[in-house]
Amino acid sequence: MSTTIPAYAIEPPGIPALPIAGSGELFPIHRIYCVGRNYAEHAIEMGHDPDKEPPFFFQKNPDNVIVDGTFPYPDKSSDVHYELEMLVAIGKGGVNIAVEQALDHVWGYGVGLDMTRRDLQGEAKKLGRPWEVGKAFEASAPCSALVPASRIGHPTDGKVWLNVNGKQRQIGDLNQMIWKVPEMISYLSGLFALKAGDIIMSGTPAGVGAVTRGDHLVGGVDGVATLDVTVI
Ligand code: MN
């Protein structure tokens, strides 16, 4: 008797993935975790006290990633914000990972935009509702290619910046993160089973603002990668 694998009733969806810089390979995405309010100046600009409210996590959908250099302006919003962030790509899963071992689980790094329908997010906050409509919509995560840690190491400082139409809008430094990369991995792995393929968006520095169609966003994390995105 041969065992057969049941056929899918519908065509299974593809596996979302990020390109790898200087390689023909792809990095398959399992989940996307995002850190909220991980830079004090950004927490303050959003009306929060970073001393009283520690960072926290929310999620985007893996297939919200877009890598073609565009960001299609979404429906149902008239206040869509950019948030430039470093990406942390997990290469080895685990639960209850110790801070001291956390970097062993990192495959590499990149740069992404946590695009946010701020008006819908604000309404959700006010009503105590979940954030997906504001954060986890189509193409809400324009991303760069990933760069392996074997090539660049594990950056702990470096400018995090975003220019819009040639003007500097966001500026910060990785060394200003409230939760450092090992801490976020350790904390997350206590709540969820981290798996190879997970991406962490590590939070945004101050200076977030709205985009309109035609805007040209160029940003990066020095020593990691840059990102060039046009709003269409
Ligand atoms: Mn963010």
Side-chain angles (χ1 to χ4, degrees):
M1 292 281 283
S2 67
T3 52
T4 54
I5 299 165
Y8 289 106
I10 58 165
E11 183 74 24
I15 297 169
L18 286 172
I20 296 167
S23 155
E25 291 183 330
L26 294 172
F27 185 90
I29 303 173
H30 175 244
R31 291 179 186 165
I32 302 176
Y33 298 100
C34 305
V35 191
R37 295 172 209 150
N38 200 26
Y39 289 77
E41 296 288 307
H42 172 63
I44 291 163
E45 77 179 345
M46 297 304 292
H48 299 275
D49 179 348
D51 291 331
K52 293 194 186 130
E53 299 173 75
F56 57 92
F57 287 97
F58 58 91
Q59 283 170 253
K60 283 182 186 279
N61 298 301
D63 66 350
N64 293 155
V65 160
I66 182 167
V67 295
D68 69 357
T70 69
F71 170 69
Y73 199 95
D75 290 337
K76 309 287 189 228
S77 178
S78 53
D79 189 26
V80 178
H81 279 205
Y82 50 76
E83 298 187 0
L84 192 287
E85 318 201 352
M86 182 171 76
L87 306 176
V88 182
I90 300 296
K92 189 175 89 179
V95 292
N96 298 319
I97 298 165
V99 171
E100 297 71 30
Q101 265 83 57
L103 290 180
D104 298 343
H105 294 258
V106 176
W107 182 88
Y109 298 89
V111 175
L113 284 161
D114 168 16
M115 298 303 292
T116 303
R117 292 196 280 213
R118 195 71 79 200
D119 41 6
L120 300 191
Q121 184 203 23
E123 202 175 286
K125 281 184 190 173
K126 208 164 58 194
L127 297 170
R129 289 181 182 163
W131 283 13
E132 281 84 354
V133 292
K135 289 289 195 179
F137 56 94
E138 309 321 316
S140 61
C143 290
S144 75
L146 295 177
V147 187
S150 60
R151 205 182 303 163
I152 59 165
H154 296 281
T156 53
D157 52 34
K159 223 164 50 148
V160 182
W161 56 277
L162 179 72
N163 294 345
V164 181
N165 303 326
K167 282 199 184 127
Q168 184 181 287
R169 294 297 184 201
Q170 288 197 272
I171 184 77
D173 195 289
L174 291 179
N175 64 23
Q176 297 165 341
M177 291 197 299
I178 297 170
W179 281 352
K180 310 300 182 194
V181 172
E183 292 163 342
M184 59 182 83
I185 290 170
S186 178
Y187 183 88
L188 252 186
S189 72
L191 292 168
F192 303 100
L194 285 185
K195 285 196 178 174
D198 287 339
I199 298 285
I200 304 172
M201 300 188 82
S202 58
T204 199
V208 299
V211 295
T212 54
R213 282 190 184 84
D215 280 350
H216 184 209
L217 283 60
V218 180
V221 177
D222 287 359
V224 177
T226 56
L227 178 62
D228 187 319
V229 171
T230 301
V231 182
I232 61 171

